[in-house]
Amino acid sequence: MSGIYDDGMIEALRNGAASVLPGWGMGPDASVSLLTVSENATFLASDPVTGANLVLRVHRPGYHTRNEIESELAWINALRASDIVDTPKPCVRGDGNLVAEFDQDGVCRHVVAFEFMPGAEPSADEALVDGFFKLGAISARLHDHARQWKRSVNFVRKSWTFDTTLGANPHWGDWRAAAGLDGENTALLEQVCAHLDHKLSEFGMDNERFGLIHADLRLANLLVDGQRLGVIDFDDCGFGWFGYDFAAAISFIELDPIVPALKEAWIEGYRTISPFSTADADMLDRFVMLRRLLLTAWIASHPETPTAQEMGTDFTAGTIEMAQSYLQAEGVQ
């Protein structure tokens, strides 16, 4: 592993995470081991004396403020209190706080802890269609809650609009920096962006279409345990189009032949809980294209992560293939 999350950095973060464990009631013999590296570094802490397991998330600096992190946890707690979704409980420290801090070479690193939730990431096979029916219903419940929930005046989360995804102020960097792009293909993707900008502007952002969403319901953030479908990692939750939650759910499998069946199942599941209009359904493929370009930007701006290293230029080639099909389907010359 190289870059910001090289082996030395992982060890420094592991030690930092271990240093704040006592605040969550963990003993001195607790072990801390790396689970995943993506936007943040996630560790599993295990106490051999009590048998307790906690999942620790050490936040990447410069992405979320402490207020944004606390706002995420406030929504999770509200969702849990209303029994909206199966998601791990954020753990309160002995001092009453949900967020810990440690200094890492002069940089303040924020840490949060969640109860461990058992389960496995779903596989992209035929059984996933049933899973997406459940996920559609879960998404509808999340969105209905978001429309009705009275947020604190201090609540703040990022917005996922065209401007902050593919436009002038992108949260995840510029897709134009992606490996494997040449002038011709850059022009193709520029054409897609212009079309998406127009269609999203037409669609609008009224309260029935745009609000607080999970924004990262990809397979890696779902946990199957028997009949239960759990949802984890609200780190990217923010204000966006409700249909974007479907697009995020098929991240990295957009070209799989199973996707049309997943879309149909998601819509069907959604409609068991809440209306989802034909106009909303017609936007889903556009949100998928938006998300794919956003992921292309993320990979370009996070080259040190295992995901980016695994995907490489093949992901950019897939984005170009999708863009060509997208413009053809939209009737754009």
Side-chain angles (χ1 to χ4, degrees), residues 89-165:
K89 178 183 177 181
C91 298
V92 181
R93 292 172 60 75
D95 60 7
N97 289 312
L98 288 166
V99 182
E101 297 178 351
F102 68 86
D103 180 87
Q104 188 263 315
D105 291 338
V107 176
C108 178
R109 305 300 292 250
H110 296 112
V111 188
V112 295
F114 298 91
E115 290 183 345
F116 178 80
M117 175 180 275
E121 177 181 337
S123 300
D125 55 26
E126 290 183 6
L128 193 58
V129 175
D130 289 338
F132 263 62
F133 180 88
K134 292 181 181 178
L135 186 60
I138 290 170
S139 300
R141 288 196 291 270
L142 286 170
H143 302 160
D144 284 349
H145 182 274
R147 292 185 184 100
Q148 300 165 17
W149 184 44
K150 302 300 182 184
R151 298 186 296 273
S152 162
V153 293
N154 296 319
F155 187 93
V156 58
R157 292 296 298 177
K158 290 178 170 56
S159 291
W160 299 99
T161 63
F162 181 83
D163 182 64
T164 61
T165 54

Side-chain angles (χ1 to χ4, degrees), residues 165-179:
T165 54
L166 307 181
N169 299 289
H171 293 317
W172 286 354
D174 192 345
W175 58 262
R176 295 166 188 83

